[in-house]
Amino acid sequence: MSAPLPRLSGGFAEPSRDSAHGFRAILNAMARPGTVLDLQAGHGPAPISAAAATVLLVLCDRTTPLHLAVSHDTPELRDWIAFHCAAPLVAAEEAQFALGDWYSLLPVARFQIGTAEFPDRAATLIVDHHDFQGPQSNLRGPGIRDTAALALPDPEAFARNHACFPLGWDAILTSGNRVAALPRSTEVF
């Protein structure tokens, strides 16, 4: 028997259970900025991490335009997304979700930040292969008691993003099986 094609392999072993656990972990990460959680359900082809694969499997479908930054724009990953998520691949300016490492997602000013009437029409950046061990930035805001700390790839970019609140993009940071989130409501100082 031949090995399954990369676009058909991976995904969730137990879709109902794994998607529920993945959704809960992502929700907890967004509700508690600065908290790093384990997310061990989804799998996809290189270069995507297991955590980022889980985020895509849980949050993306045919109604959520996705941008792949150059770091993650491979034929194998495109096929995998088409099979498992069916998310349409679009330019950065049209994306509701964007996947890549931080430097490939730059410049972040090209992503949607919502409008005064519809601030929810902002992009969510999935920053894959994030260095959780890097220098820590201080955080405060909703979901944080007093302050929290989290390594950020460019603290000034996140601070500028927060200054646009209620507009601005949200970020989900992933690496290996780890996930954290930084909604635009979080102040970086």
Side-chain angles (χ1 to χ4, degrees):
M1 180 176 218
S2 62
L5 296 172
R7 70 177 181 267
L8 302 179
S9 62
F12 287 138
E14 296 182 40
S16 295
R17 182 188 62 107
D18 293 343
S19 62
H21 288 177
F23 182 78
R24 173 58 80 187
I26 295 164
L27 183 66
N28 284 337
M30 280 295 227
R32 295 179 181 88
T35 303
V36 180
L37 302 169
D38 285 329
L39 191 59
Q40 303 180 21
H43 299 283
I48 195 171
S49 69
T54 301
V55 171
L56 290 184
L57 290 166
V58 170
L59 299 181
C60 293
D61 62 22
R62 63 181 180 78
T63 67
T64 51
L66 171 67
H67 173 72
L68 292 180
V70 68
S71 63
H72 284 63
D73 193 359
T74 66
E76 294 80 13
L77 188 53
R78 282 176 167 262
D79 287 347
W80 184 87
I81 290 167
F83 181 78
H84 288 283
C85 305
L89 300 179
V90 299
E93 297 78 12
E94 303 169 33
Q96 288 180 354
F97 288 90
L99 170 66
D101 65 36
W102 177 254
Y103 298 101
S104 295
L105 290 168
L106 297 177
V108 292
R110 62 193 170 138
F111 294 104
Q112 297 180 48
I113 62 167
T115 65
E117 298 81 20
F118 300 102
D120 60 317
R121 293 187 180 165
T124 298
L125 309 182
I126 304 165
V127 182
D128 202 12
H129 305 298
H130 176 66
D131 179 10
F132 286 104
Q133 303 306 315
Q136 303 287 299
S137 295
N138 292 315
L139 313 173
R140 68 177 155 222
I144 299 172
R145 180 180 218 157
D146 300 321
T147 63
L150 181 66
L152 297 175
D154 183 350
E156 292 170 7
F158 285 85
R160 283 190 306 273
N161 184 58
H162 171 72
C164 297
F165 185 77
L167 306 180
W169 38 262
D170 298 309
I172 298 173
L173 310 170
T174 60
S175 185
N177 293 327
R178 302 175 81 198
V179 64
L182 201 68
R184 66 192 101 153
S185 60
T186 304
E187 180 184 358
V188 178
F189 65 100

